[in-house]
Amino acid sequence: MSSTTDAGSGLSRATSLADVDPQIALGALDGRYRGVVAPLVDHLSEPALNRARVHVEIEWLIHLTEREVVPGVRRLTDTEKAALREVVASFGAAEITELGDIERVTLHDVKAVEYFLKTRLRDIAPVDEDAGLAELIHFCCTSEDINNLSYAVMVRGAVRDVWLPRADALVAKLTEMARELAEVPLLAHTHGQPATPTTMGKELAVLAWRLRRQLRRIEDAEFLGKLNGATGTYGAHLAAVPGADWEDVSRSFVEHLGLTWNPLTTQIESHDWQAELYADLARFNRVLHNMCTDVWSYISMGYFAQVRGQGTVGSSTMPHKVNPIRFENAEANLEVSNALLDVLSATLVQSRLQRDLTDSSMQRNIGSAFGHSLLAIDNAHRGLDGLDAVPATMAADLDGNWEVLGEAVQSAMRALGAQGVPGMEEPYERLKELTRGRRIGQDDLVTFVRGLGLPTEVEERLAAMTPATYVGLAPELVRHLP
């Protein structure tokens, strides 16, 4: 038997890692990167979904009784309402296990929540006369009435409590760097070639401005919800209690949860708001990806040094290296996040006739989409924290590319030619002959300028110009950042 076969056979006979206790996470988010994404567990995990369902079911029961929707059913006391809401507040490991045990019998997750709450209600309101209260748990609801509201509450919490604060802190860091470097001149590169100088601060400000604009869209996102029955007609509601204003009951309940009421749906809430939100999140991710690749490039050019908080091994074999791993890790996770966000956006807006279950399986990936984005934000922020600008390297590149001033000279000549100053013909062509395909130095440019016959003021201004001073309004433009 060959050594290759031996190695393979040995691995196949090894203890199954699936049997290791505690259980090993299959994915990196719940394994290697758990610490970064853990706050999302409170919002987008399977137990968080069940806790949200418990919350919605309890609030629906309270809403029905508070508004006396069903004739003859008493209102809950303040003590009973507090006890029911405490079920949500104290929801933890024991409740997760109990719900799991019930679901193994019901084979239906929402029905398991209903039975779980009926047990709790019997303890809270134990007298025989109150036994009927349990029938108002999940009253006139289809599972999607509970699920759509639960997901809306969960996603809203994940966005506002976890994702937005992290994203906002990253953009604040980038804005701070832009302001600090507003006047540090930088040789710009368009198409990878030396171009009109700018400042490092202005270039970072462009990225911060773009990211902030996407954050404003996400901050303004709507979270929609519905509660209108099996096909969105309030059929069961009217059959049970024909005298109630069910549209008003539904609207006021959805708004009580802090959501926007959707009055027209099939069995499912149409998920358009989710598609809109995920498209905005993906766009933020894409701009952040652009930031990562640009900063990576500046690091490779020596414009930034990775020095602070970089107690890491850069290369396993080359001791001198400090690899820009934070930005590379961010790029990869942004791409995974966007793949998920894109498929969520595309799939969730589709439903066969009044209902199919593709959305149910799809929405279980929302946490992963947010998790990879959050991980990328964390890496990008840590990467920025570890950078120091190197103005000397930027200055050296500027000093080695005097030909970029050709634009300034020919533009001044054009203006003079338009004013009727003689001798200013074909400025572009003359500068092209001087600069294209060759490096020139300060002496070459000054000699050329002084031989053009320019008015004295213009000649002196252009002769005194350097690549480092040819930055236009770049330092002032950073003021546009909020």
Side-chain angles (χ1 to χ4, degrees):
M1 185 178 291
S2 68
S3 58
T4 302
T5 305
D6 287 341
S9 299
L11 188 58
S12 68
R13 291 194 302 270
T15 299
S16 173
L17 298 180
D19 298 328
V20 172
D21 188 28
Q23 293 181 347
I24 296 173
L26 178 62
L29 291 181
D30 284 317
R32 184 181 187 91
Y33 303 123
R34 170 76 178 191
V36 176
V37 303
L40 288 173
V41 173
D42 265 336
H43 301 278
L44 297 175
S45 63
E46 193 74 18
L49 173 57
N50 274 333
R51 181 170 63 180
R53 286 166 170 157
V54 169
H55 167 62
V56 171
E57 294 276 17
I58 285 173
E59 293 302 322
W60 179 235
L61 170 63
I62 293 172
H63 191 72
L64 289 171
T65 57
E66 280 289 292
R67 297 195 44 151
E68 299 179 324
V69 174
V70 180
V73 177
R74 71 170 178 84
R75 291 186 174 189
L76 298 174
T77 67
D78 289 343
T79 300
E80 289 167 338
K81 287 186 286 186
L84 283 167
R85 287 171 172 149
E86 180 60 26
V87 175
V88 181
S90 62
F91 191 90
E95 289 73 22
I96 293 169
T97 300
E98 182 179 347
L99 267 172
D101 292 340
I102 298 171
E103 188 179 343
R104 275 186 283 277
V105 176
T106 63
L107 300 179
H108 194 290
D109 46 9
V110 178
K111 203 66 178 175
V113 169
E114 179 185 344
Y115 291 163
F116 169 84
L117 283 176
K118 285 181 174 179
T119 300
R120 293 298 187 279
L121 186 59
R122 280 196 297 271
D123 294 335
I124 293 168
V127 299
D128 291 342
E129 302 93 276
D130 290 332
L133 283 173
E135 295 308 320
L136 292 189
I137 295 174
H138 204 67
F139 181 69
C140 289
C141 291
T142 185
S143 294
E144 182 57 21
D145 285 324
I146 305 305
N147 283 335
N148 90 93
L149 296 170
S150 297
Y151 272 112
V153 168
M154 291 161 59
V155 173
R156 182 187 62 193
V159 170
R160 294 180 179 177
D161 298 344
V162 181
W163 190 91
L164 267 174
R166 298 272 192 95
D168 186 73
L170 167 66
V171 178
K173 174 62 182 179
L174 190 61
T175 299
E176 175 191 352
M177 291 178 64
R179 290 183 174 133
E180 289 174 352
L181 302 173
E183 298 186 9
V184 177
L186 168 73
L187 178 65
H189 289 79
T190 59
H191 308 279
Q193 307 301 308
T196 302
T198 177
T199 70
M200 179 60 81
K202 180 263 177 182
E203 298 311 307
L204 296 181
V206 170
L207 293 160
W209 175 268
R210 294 174 66 195
L211 289 168
R212 181 64 65 191
R213 183 168 177 272
Q214 298 312 313
L215 288 186
R216 286 198 298 270
R217 292 175 63 91
I218 295 166
E219 288 164 356
D220 293 339
E222 275 192 301
F223 302 87
L224 273 64
K226 72 97 181 181
L227 195 151
N228 52 18
T231 57
T233 65
Y234 300 97
H237 307 68
L238 283 174
V241 188
D245 184 348
W246 281 110
E247 283 196 89
D248 182 63
V249 172
S250 171
R251 178 193 55 76
S252 58
F253 177 62
V254 171
E255 292 177 353
H256 165 72
L257 295 175
L259 307 174
T260 299
W261 182 57
N262 186 343
L264 281 167
T265 77
T266 60
Q267 182 178 105
I268 68 167
E269 197 289 318
S270 306
H271 307 320
D272 297 344
W273 70 265
Q274 290 195 55
E276 293 158 5
L277 172 64
Y278 303 151
D280 288 340
L281 284 166
R283 197 176 307 108
F284 176 93
N285 283 351
R286 290 187 168 99
V287 177
L288 182 56
H289 191 285
N290 195 176
M291 187 214 80
C292 290
T293 56
D294 276 5
V295 173
W296 187 98
S297 298
Y298 290 140
I299 292 169
S300 74
M301 295 172 180
Y303 295 170
F304 283 116
Q306 300 177 97
V307 291
R308 294 195 303 275
Q310 296 292 321
T312 59
V313 174
S315 166
S316 63
T317 185
M318 293 174 279
H320 68 283
K321 293 183 70 181
V322 179
N323 296 330
I325 57 171
R326 298 298 176 200
F327 301 102
E328 293 168 348
N329 185 299
E331 285 180 48
N333 280 284
L334 290 167
E335 289 160 12
V336 174
S337 177
N338 276 0
L340 291 168
L341 291 169
D342 288 348
V343 75
L344 283 164
S345 297
T347 302
L348 289 177
V349 294
Q350 303 292 328
S351 181
R352 293 177 183 85
L353 301 179
Q354 282 70 50
R355 176 67 164 134
D356 70 64
L357 277 175
T358 53
D359 65 330
S360 180
S361 295
M362 188 60 65
Q363 287 180 110
R364 284 185 161 86
N365 295 285
I366 296 170
S368 294
F370 273 83
H372 285 286
S373 179
L374 194 69
L375 180 57
I377 289 168
D378 179 76
N379 271 286
H381 198 157
R382 291 166 68 188
L384 293 177
D385 278 339
L387 296 181
D388 269 345
V390 187
T393 301
M394 292 183 244
D397 275 358
L398 286 162
D399 196 50
N401 287 275
W402 281 78
E403 61 272 14
V404 298
L405 294 180
E407 179 195 45
V409 176
Q410 66 101 5
S411 295
M413 292 174 68
R414 281 177 183 269
L416 292 169
Q419 296 166 31
V421 176
M424 298 296 111
E425 297 80 8
E426 298 184 329
Y428 178 86
E429 289 72 19
R430 291 159 74 180
L431 267 298
K432 172 182 171 182
E433 182 179 347
L434 173 70
T435 60
R436 182 168 293 187
R438 60 188 290 255
R439 290 290 175 88
I440 63 171
Q442 183 176 17
D443 292 344
D444 299 314
L445 186 72
V446 171
T447 299
F448 179 83
V449 167
R450 295 203 183 280
L452 291 172
L454 300 168
T456 301
E457 182 274 328
V458 177
E459 179 180 308
E460 293 306 319
R461 173 162 51 84
L462 293 177
M465 186 177 289
T466 70
T469 61
Y470 181 44
V471 295
L473 297 175
E476 289 77 22
L477 293 174
V478 177
R479 76 183 186 282
H480 290 290
L481 289 176

